[in-house]
Amino acid sequence: MTNVTPTILSTVSSQFVDDWLGALRALCPEAQMASLLSRSGLNADTRSPNGRVTLDQIVCLYQLAAVETGDEMMGLWSRPVRPRALQHLLTTVREATSLASALYRFSTFWNLLLDDYQFDLEDAEGALVLILKPQGDAQVQRFGHMLILKLAHGLLSWLAGHEVPVRGVDFAFDRPNFDQDYAIIFPAPLRFGQPATAIAFDPNALGPVQTRSTADLDRFLQNAPRDWIFTSSREHTQSLRVRTYLGQTGWDAATLTQTASAMHMTPRTLIRRLQSDGTSFQAIKDALRRDIAIRDLQAGRKSVEAIAHDVGFSSAANFHRAFQRWTGSTPSAYRKSHT
């Protein structure tokens, strides 16, 4: 189980992309929608309430849908975001002399394109806060709000040459039952049910920008949204630090006691800190096992028995029961639907 990259392996629930798929269905005829889902491998996952969606599937659907719908935000906002908008955005922000000025350029750019929302950039309590404010009775698209804030964070990190720390993220919608998915996306404390969707940065962490070439810009566009939608941070929550440790050690050492010792704290302290993140040691361990198993089942190179062993199960039968509990599907059925 060594050399695993836990965050890239992370999956999100199928419910996480429901708003996005709903917006796409409003843009696409039924046959085109079915084709988009099929080509991105999302057919089976979106039918099950326990289904999981991988980063590769999200990236594939984004890259297909942004081109084929002629809307780079794929129906998530009231006005279509025409092709090449992201390219012009990158060209605009890379001319900034500081990350703070890049964030201002980001806000003014989107304010030219969006009708239902406008961005404000405010200094508040020692933080620089990018706030998405509704214009009238604007519809809240949870995926759209997530995506545009994550784009702001991704662009700043691209310009800085490292992942820029985030002080906090607010969402103007109620906490969903898949709220843990947002912790995979944002390296920050999260609040739901807030007056407005916003992302806050420490001004002291927003230094100068690195020079970005046209080749850098082209690479960012070609990879979109792979380079910015899932965070690579390991520092913002105890739960990600635990997941990182588990991904870099063997399952024989993946106990609460040994994990706590590796983090220089008592098991009781680790339990308390994970509770403050809204999770538990076993939940983190199971989520990592699930995501490794999903990756290997999709790759199709290992037997189910080998995968069960690789993720620390003493028998294939125990793995079958756990996988069905995690995803609503047996390992064999999951593999069949993805090959």
Side-chain angles (χ1 to χ4, degrees), residues 254-292:
T255 65
L256 174 64
T257 299
Q258 294 194 55
T259 303
S261 176
M263 297 184 175
H264 309 292
M265 64 183 74
T266 66
R268 186 182 297 273
T269 298
L270 179 56
I271 289 170
R272 187 176 65 251
R273 292 188 179 180
L274 292 178
Q275 286 175 338
S276 71
D277 281 350
T279 189
S280 68
F281 178 79
Q282 191 61 48
I284 295 168
K285 185 175 178 178
D286 284 346
L288 180 58
R289 285 169 148 179
R290 177 201 65 210
D291 293 345
I292 293 172

Side-chain angles (χ1 to χ4, degrees), residues 217-234:
L217 186 151
D218 290 342
R219 192 176 305 112
F220 188 95
L221 291 171
Q222 289 167 4
N223 290 339
R226 182 179 298 278
D227 290 345
W228 44 270
I229 198 168
F230 275 35
T231 180
S232 61
S233 175
R234 304 289 190 269

Side-chain angles (χ1 to χ4, degrees), residues 96-102 156 159-160 162 164 202-210:
T97 56
S98 69
L99 296 180
S101 64
L156 289 188
L159 289 169
H162 61 85
V164 172
D202 181 350
N204 296 322
L206 299 181
V209 302
Q210 288 193 3

Side-chain angles (χ1 to χ4, degrees), residues 166-306:
V166 178
R167 178 172 288 189
V169 176
D170 289 348
F171 288 112
F173 49 83
D174 293 338
R175 181 182 296 273
N177 59 8
F178 50 91
D179 59 307
Q180 284 297 311
D181 292 340
Y182 291 88
I184 295 171
I185 305 297
F186 287 102
L190 303 169
R191 299 189 301 178
F192 296 88
Q194 299 302 304
T197 290
I199 185 168
F201 300 95
D202 181 350
N204 296 322
L206 299 181
V209 302
Q210 288 193 3
T211 301
R212 288 298 181 185
S213 67
T214 300
D216 292 332
L217 186 151
D218 290 342
R219 192 176 305 112
F220 188 95
L221 291 171
Q222 289 167 4
N223 290 339
R226 182 179 298 278
D227 290 345
W228 44 270
I229 198 168
F230 275 35
T231 180
S232 61
S233 175
R234 304 289 190 269
E235 302 303 322
H236 63 292
T237 62
Q238 191 67 56
S239 57
L240 277 189
R241 287 194 286 273
V242 169
R243 185 176 167 110
T244 300
Y245 169 78
L246 294 178
Q248 294 172 345
T249 191
W251 289 117
D252 56 343
T255 65
L256 174 64
T257 299
Q258 294 194 55
T259 303
S261 176
M263 297 184 175
H264 309 292
M265 64 183 74
T266 66
R268 186 182 297 273
T269 298
L270 179 56
I271 289 170
R272 187 176 65 251
R273 292 188 179 180
L274 292 178
Q275 286 175 338
S276 71
D277 281 350
T279 189
S280 68
F281 178 79
Q282 191 61 48
I284 295 168
K285 185 175 178 178
D286 284 346
L288 180 58
R289 285 169 148 179
R290 177 201 65 210
D291 293 345
I292 293 172
I294 285 174
R295 177 201 62 185
D296 290 344
L297 287 167
Q298 289 182 351
R301 290 187 292 269
K302 296 180 180 179
S303 69
V304 172
E305 290 73 16

Side-chain angles (χ1 to χ4, degrees), residues 12-66:
V12 294
S13 70
S14 58
Q15 298 172 80
F16 185 77
V17 299
D18 275 351
D19 285 0
W20 182 23
L21 299 185
L24 274 175
R25 287 189 177 96
L27 292 182
C28 301
E30 185 176 344
Q32 183 186 20
M33 186 68 190
S35 174
L36 287 171
L37 292 176
S38 176
R39 283 179 284 156
S40 57
L42 277 164
N43 269 349
D45 303 293
T46 55
R47 286 198 296 265
S48 169
N50 295 323
R52 305 300 300 179
V53 179
T54 67
L55 172 60
D56 284 343
Q57 290 170 329
I58 289 174
V59 169
C60 185
L61 181 58
Y62 176 96
Q63 292 180 346
L64 292 170

